[in-house]
Amino acid sequence: MIVLHCKFLLLNYDEKDTWLMMLYILVHMFFFSESAASCCSTHLIDGDGTFNAAGLEKFMKEVKLSECGLSYAIVSIMGPQSSGKSTLLNHLFHTNFLEMDAFKGRSQTTKGIWMARCTGIEPCTVVMDLEGTDGRERGEDDTAFEKQSALFALAVSDIVLINMWCHDIGREHAANKPLLKTVFQVMTRLFSPRKTTLIFVIRDKTRTPLENLEPVLREDIQKIWDSVPKPEVHKETPLKTFFNIEVVALSSFEEKEELFKEQVGNLRKRFYQSIAPGGLAGDRQGVVPASGFSFSAEQIWKIIKENRDLDLPAHKVMVATVRCEEIATEKHSAFAENKEWCELENTVKTQFEPHFGNKISSLLDIYLAGYDNEAGFFDEGVRNCKRKQLEEKLLQLVEPAYQSTMHHVRSETLEKFIKAFEDALNKGQGFKVAAHDCTISSMKSFDEQSKGVIIKQADWDSSKARVKLSHDIDSHIADVKTAKISDLTALYESKVKTTLYGPVEALLEGAADDTWHAIRKLLRNESETAMFEFSDALSGLEMEESAKKNLLSRLENYAVEVVEGKTKEEAAKVLNRMKERFTTIFNHDNDLMPRVWTGKEDIRAINKTARTSSLKLLSVLAAIRLEDYGDKIQGILLVALADPAQASDKNSNVQDPLATCKWEKIPADKTLITPVQCKSLWTQFQKETEYAVSQAISAQKANKQNNNWMPPPWAILALFVLGFNEFITLLRNPLYLILIFITFLLIKALWVQLDIASEFQHGVFHGFLSLSTKLIPTILNLIRKLSDAGQRQPPPR
């Protein structure tokens, strides 16, 4: 402020008088040193009409005006140039505005509009010192700035001081009349203007009492008001609608300084609590909250400079809109950068935060309360609208974190359900009961956890997440049920296969007359048992009856498929099975002992029996007969293949019963081996088993030859005839008989020891070869036994 004063003096005074001016400044500073310490001022609008926005922002920060809310007052002063306006303000409000030097003559001191804070007055009061009117520096025709500054003062001020000379009261061409006309004219440019207090300060009061001066002044004011052109709306509007008129008188500062100061002191007291009810300030209907004063003042001046009508209510809304938007943006940015919110946001990305709802609600309360505090004095409609928008934006900011937290709650609850459900099933609890109990417990746990996630400022609820969780639980139960059903199905199918596979194979291999009857009975019994057990196992799975019937039907069909599959498998190996059956019966007796072809066996009968049995096996495997079709496959095959010669004699004129591709009464899909195939298989079977029969016949003949060691009868007769003489000689000489008898005994002993009969059963060559290796050891053994018997002592008598 000192620098500005010095610059102003240097520019407006001669160089030789500069030292005198500087001395004046120092004295002025010393005089107002106490007030200057707490006073702050700025050049708000310069002489060219340029608005100092940066200076105003700095001023507001220094005096902390933004913190005042609505508890502040704006006072401005108007009046003719060099009428002592700045002097009055400095004494009245302890400001430090530059005053005119009376020694240098009358000239313009204040250019544009200056602003300063009043010292020692509560609430916070800011005073504006306007450039004087009717100055020679601007000339008679340049009244534009006077009107603009007057309109600006009326638009922003609660109290307007009008400085006027006492001797101008009652004069037709007084200096204050153009000023009043200007004030009243610009006032009509305000749409719905607020009521402003006009304090007419009568300077250099004479001896005439104020009681006599005031009526004259009010009469002059009313005449000026009536003469001013007004819009149609305000044609009949009385003066008191726009203004509170106050009149005060002050003595001459130069002639009666002490009295002047006393009177100013009394006037100063009236500015204490000026905005309270009954105070100097007007109705303050259009007052702008202090935090929006800077923007409001700048916009008002801009509108005035553009020569547009100033709609104060609309301007109030506009200021409220801008400031509330700024405050909301500040709070939104501050919330987004809040450390606690950032940590909470990062936390819920990876894990569940149990107190998420309370923490977010508290943070939102803090920032919304901060908005309410800063925007509480702006237009209610705008304030509430912007608050709602701020709340929506903040909720949009936290919604992803909320959704993430709800996802954690749902996921954790689902995991707990899966584990609890699995444990319940493992402990043997019924599926239906376990599913119901675990579901109720999990949904209750979800509801309790969701309460800690709810943000009180939001109307969100957990219904969607709850529905999703319920769907997930139902899906898991369905999956487990499906898996259980699959496991049970596989288990009982395995049981069915185990109980049917082996027995069916054994029955088919047995190929008895009642094979298929036995298979049907086995299938019915095992299927009923398995279906009963399967139905009992499914009863705890809470299934629909139709689905249960389908599963039982599938198991029954599977049992049929097992039997049919095994039958088809055996039918594919029928030729080998027939050969094995033939070999078993042909080469083994009734006791299943290997058959020895001694020559007594009836090979023809045995062969017929074996072939007939093999043919029965073929008839059993020719078709699947899980139903009693009443077929005659076995009879047809026995007649056509077991005894074809007899069949041809009886049916010489009848077509071959096997010359067809289907069996009578047997469905085509149940036929495994067609009649034609049976005939072909039988032909191949006969060829492959003929060798076994021929080998048996050969073995029987060889056995007969080996067992017949006696010479033929004719040889015995020839020996008797030709050896008669030798026989007579033996009879005549008994010694020969004894030698022959001894030789017989030795030969008999060797026969028994060597087991000659059994050795020659396997052929003559084999017999001789075996005897050649055993003969000498056997003879030596007999000699040793005879020697041992001869040496043995006779027992005592």
Side-chain angles (χ1 to χ4, degrees):
M1 189 67 185
I2 297 171
V3 174
L4 291 173
H5 285 185
C6 293
K7 287 183 177 179
F8 178 80
L9 292 172
L10 291 172
L11 291 172
N12 290 275
Y13 292 92
D14 297 335
E15 184 177 355
K16 62 181 181 179
D17 296 328
T18 299
W19 65 270
L20 184 60
M21 296 300 102
M22 295 298 292
L23 179 61
Y24 170 79
I25 291 173
L26 292 175
V27 173
H28 185 273
M29 289 175 57
F30 177 78
F31 182 80
F32 294 103
S33 59
E34 182 178 356
S35 63
S38 58
C39 176
C40 180
S41 62
T42 186
H43 198 180
L44 181 62
I45 300 173
D46 64 16
D48 297 327
T50 303
F51 191 89
N52 185 12
L56 179 57
E57 288 290 342
K58 182 180 179 182
F59 171 82
M60 291 182 63
K61 290 180 180 178
E62 290 178 354
V63 302
K64 299 181 180 179
L65 183 62
S66 298
E67 301 175 6
C68 296
L70 295 178
S71 184
Y72 75 101
I74 303 294
V75 179
S76 60
I77 189 168
M78 303 183 209
Q81 180 176 299
S82 303
S83 61
K85 298 187 299 300
S86 298
T87 303
L88 174 60
L89 293 179
N90 288 340
H91 285 82
L92 182 61
F93 299 112
H94 297 176
T95 54
N96 54 4
F97 292 117
L98 186 63
E99 299 176 9
M100 184 193 71
D101 182 12
F103 295 102
K104 298 300 294 181
R106 296 183 177 273
S107 62
Q108 187 180 50
T109 304
T110 302
K111 288 187 177 182
I113 301 175
W114 285 78
M115 174 180 282
R117 176 180 178 175
C118 303
T119 304
I121 295 180
E122 293 296 334
C124 179
T125 302
V126 177
V127 62
M128 294 193 301
D129 188 7
L130 273 65
E131 179 180 315
T133 60
D134 197 24
R136 62 181 177 82
E137 284 81 3
R138 290 192 179 270
E140 295 182 1
D141 299 328
D142 188 7
T143 60
F145 184 80
E146 293 178 4
K147 293 181 180 181
Q148 290 172 352
S149 60
L151 180 58
F152 178 77
L154 288 172
V156 302
S157 301
D158 300 294
I159 303 170
V160 177
L161 301 175
I162 298 180
N163 206 36
M164 62 183 303
W165 300 112
C166 182
H167 56 76
D168 282 338
I169 297 176
R171 294 172 59 189
E172 185 66 25
H173 299 288
N176 63 325
K177 287 191 175 182
L179 174 61
L180 289 177
K181 287 183 180 180
T182 300
V183 170
F184 293 157
Q185 285 175 353
V186 298
M187 197 64 181
T188 58
R189 291 182 56 191
L190 300 178
F191 297 156
S192 302
R194 61 178 180 171
K195 198 169 186 178
T196 305
T197 298
L198 294 181
I199 300 180
F200 288 85
V201 182
I202 301 174
R203 301 294 299 274
D204 295 350
K205 176 180 172 296
T206 62
R207 292 180 180 181
T208 305
L210 180 61
E211 292 78 5
N212 296 333
L213 294 174
E214 184 173 349
V216 177
L217 177 60
R218 288 183 179 273
E219 183 180 354
D220 290 343
I221 294 172
Q222 185 64 47
K223 288 181 179 180
I224 296 172
W225 172 256
D226 294 336
S227 65
V228 171
K230 292 182 285 294
E232 193 67 31
V233 180
H234 299 301
K235 283 278 187 187
E236 305 298 329
T237 304
L239 176 65
K240 62 182 180 180
T241 303
F242 290 90
F243 301 104
N244 288 325
I245 305 296
E246 296 282 343
V247 179
V248 296
L250 298 177
S251 299
S252 173
F253 172 69
E254 294 179 353
E255 297 176 359
K256 301 177 181 180
E257 183 176 353
E258 294 302 324
L259 182 58
F260 173 84
K261 291 181 179 180
E262 179 182 352
Q263 293 170 342
V264 168
N266 293 331
L267 179 60
R268 174 181 172 87
K269 293 177 182 178
R270 298 188 63 185
F271 284 91
Y272 290 113
Q273 303 301 327
S274 60
I275 63 173
L280 281 178
D283 56 19
R284 293 174 56 82
Q285 291 182 358
V287 66
V288 175
S291 61
F293 178 77
S294 175
F295 176 77
S296 174
E298 184 178 7
Q299 293 301 313
I300 288 175
W301 183 249
K302 181 180 179 182
I303 293 172
I304 292 172
K305 287 285 289 182
E306 292 174 355
N307 199 28
R308 290 184 288 147
D309 288 338
L310 182 59
D311 187 351
L312 288 183
H315 173 75
K316 179 182 176 182
V317 172
M318 183 269 293
V319 173
T321 301
V322 174
R323 278 299 298 146
C324 289
E325 181 70 31
E326 290 177 352
I327 296 171
T329 302
E330 291 173 3
K331 297 305 176 184
H332 183 274
S333 300
F335 181 90
E337 297 173 1
N338 181 273
K339 183 179 180 181
E340 185 178 356
W341 155 247
C342 293
E343 292 177 353
L344 194 60
E345 184 182 26
N346 292 330
T347 299
V348 299
K349 288 180 180 178
T350 56
Q351 65 186 29
F352 170 63
E353 171 55 51
H355 304 294
F356 175 83
N358 292 335
K359 291 182 178 180
I360 291 297
S361 297
S362 298
L363 285 174
L364 290 175
D365 279 342
I366 291 172
Y367 284 92
L368 290 174
Y371 170 85
D372 292 338
N373 291 335
E374 294 187 31
F377 301 109
F378 289 101
D379 181 79
E380 182 179 2
V382 175
R383 181 179 71 243
N384 293 338
C385 177
K386 294 302 178 181
R387 189 187 194 279
K388 185 178 180 181
Q389 292 178 5
L390 172 62
E391 188 173 344
E392 291 176 352
K393 289 181 179 179
L394 291 175
L395 291 176
Q396 288 177 1
L397 181 63
V398 302
E399 185 177 11
Y402 169 81
Q403 296 295 344
S404 179
T405 304
M406 290 304 302
H407 173 75
H408 288 309
V409 174
R410 181 172 58 81
S411 299
E412 289 185 8
T413 304
L414 181 60
E415 290 176 3
K416 290 178 182 178
F417 168 81
I418 292 173
K419 187 177 186 304
F421 188 45
E422 183 178 359
D423 292 342
L425 294 178
N426 292 336
K427 291 178 181 178
Q429 191 173 2
F431 185 91
K432 181 178 179 180
V433 175
H436 178 267
D437 293 347
C438 292
T439 299
I440 296 298
S441 176
S442 297
M443 296 308 295
K444 184 177 180 181
S445 174
F446 174 82
D447 292 338
E448 291 176 354
Q449 285 187 303
S450 297
K451 291 179 181 178
V453 184
I454 293 175
I455 300 172
K456 68 179 183 180
Q457 292 83 358
D459 58 353
W460 305 329
D461 57 28
S462 58
S463 58
K464 290 184 179 180
R466 197 178 194 278
V467 171
K468 182 68 168 62
L469 174 63
S470 179
H471 176 73
D472 292 342
I473 288 176
D474 292 341
S475 297
H476 180 73
I477 293 174
D479 292 342
V480 173
K481 182 189 290 186
T482 302
K484 283 284 184 184
I485 292 173
S486 179
D487 292 342
L488 288 173
T489 302
L491 173 63
Y492 284 96
E493 285 181 352
S494 177
K495 286 185 178 181
V496 166
K497 186 173 183 179
T498 302
T499 55
L500 290 177
Y501 203 80
V504 169
E505 182 179 10
L507 289 172
L508 291 175
E509 288 180 355
D513 294 337
D514 62 343
T515 294
W516 278 108
H517 175 74
I519 290 176
R520 288 194 292 270
K521 183 178 180 180
L522 173 67
L523 174 62
R524 183 173 60 256
N525 293 338
E526 296 299 333
S527 296
E528 289 177 354
T529 301
M531 288 171 65
F532 176 79
E533 294 177 356
F534 189 40
S535 176
D536 187 58
L538 292 175
S539 61
L541 295 181
E542 195 178 5
M543 295 182 60
E544 293 182 0
E545 195 63 27
S546 59
K548 186 176 180 180
K549 287 182 179 180
N550 289 336
L551 289 173
L552 294 175
S553 177
R554 282 176 53 190
L555 181 63
E556 185 178 14
N557 294 335
Y558 179 77
V560 173
E561 291 174 0
V562 170
V563 175
E564 292 183 349
K566 185 58 185 175
T567 304
K568 292 177 181 179
E569 181 183 334
E570 293 297 319
K573 303 182 290 185
V574 63
L575 182 59
N576 291 333
R577 293 297 188 190
M578 290 171 64
K579 291 191 292 183
E580 290 174 1
R581 189 174 183 84
F582 175 83
T583 301
T584 299
I585 296 175
F586 188 76
N587 291 332
H588 296 82
D589 57 18
N590 294 332
D591 298 327
L592 298 181
M593 296 297 292
R595 198 184 296 275
V596 179
W597 303 106
T598 61
K600 299 177 182 180
E601 296 83 2
D602 186 354
I603 293 179
R604 182 179 295 278
I606 294 172
N607 177 52
K608 184 175 181 181
T609 300
R611 290 181 183 276
T612 301
S613 180
S614 298
L615 193 60
K616 286 183 178 180
L617 176 62
L618 178 61
S619 68
V620 169
L621 295 175
I624 298 173
R625 280 156 281 184
L626 293 180
E627 296 181 18
D628 190 2
Y629 297 113
D631 61 276
K632 298 179 180 180
I633 295 177
Q634 182 175 335
I636 294 173
L637 291 177
L638 288 175
V639 171
L641 299 178
D643 195 1
Q646 183 179 359
S648 61
D649 292 340
K650 291 182 179 181
N651 303 298
S652 57
N653 296 326
V654 179
Q655 183 181 358
D656 185 358
L658 300 181
T660 181
C661 291
K662 61 180 180 178
W663 297 107
E664 185 179 357
K665 298 182 180 181
I666 300 296
D669 60 331
K670 301 299 180 182
T671 300
L672 301 180
I673 306 172
T674 63
V676 175
Q677 291 172 334
C678 286
K679 187 173 184 179
S680 176
L681 285 170
W682 183 252
T683 302
Q684 187 177 355
F685 167 76
Q686 284 183 318
K687 290 180 181 179
E688 294 184 6
T689 56
E690 284 178 355
Y691 179 75
V693 177
S694 62
Q695 284 292 102
I697 295 173
S698 299
Q700 194 177 54
K701 289 181 179 179
N703 196 8
K704 287 181 179 180
Q705 292 177 358
N706 292 333
N707 290 334
N708 191 15
W709 52 273
M710 295 293 291
W714 61 268
I716 295 173
L717 180 62
L719 181 62
F720 180 76
V721 173
L722 294 177
F724 182 76
N725 293 332
E726 287 76 9
F727 180 70
I728 294 299
T729 303
L730 290 174
L731 291 176
R732 289 177 179 175
N733 191 353
L735 181 61
Y736 286 121
L737 290 174
I738 293 170
L739 291 174
I740 292 172
F741 181 70
I742 293 172
T743 302
F744 173 74
L745 291 176
L746 290 173
I747 292 173
K748 182 66 176 175
L750 288 173
W751 184 277
V752 173
Q753 290 292 326
L754 294 174
D755 193 14
I756 294 175
S758 62
E759 293 292 343
F760 278 95
Q761 284 183 355
H762 301 290
V764 178
F765 178 75
H766 181 271
F768 279 114
L769 182 62
S770 179
L771 290 176
S772 64
T773 57
K774 297 166 61 177
L775 180 61
I776 295 176
T778 303
I779 294 175
L780 293 176
N781 188 34
L782 287 174
I783 295 174
R784 185 174 65 257
K785 288 182 178 181
L786 291 173
S787 176
D788 293 339
Q791 293 178 359
R792 191 176 301 167
Q793 294 294 333
R797 293 182 181 179

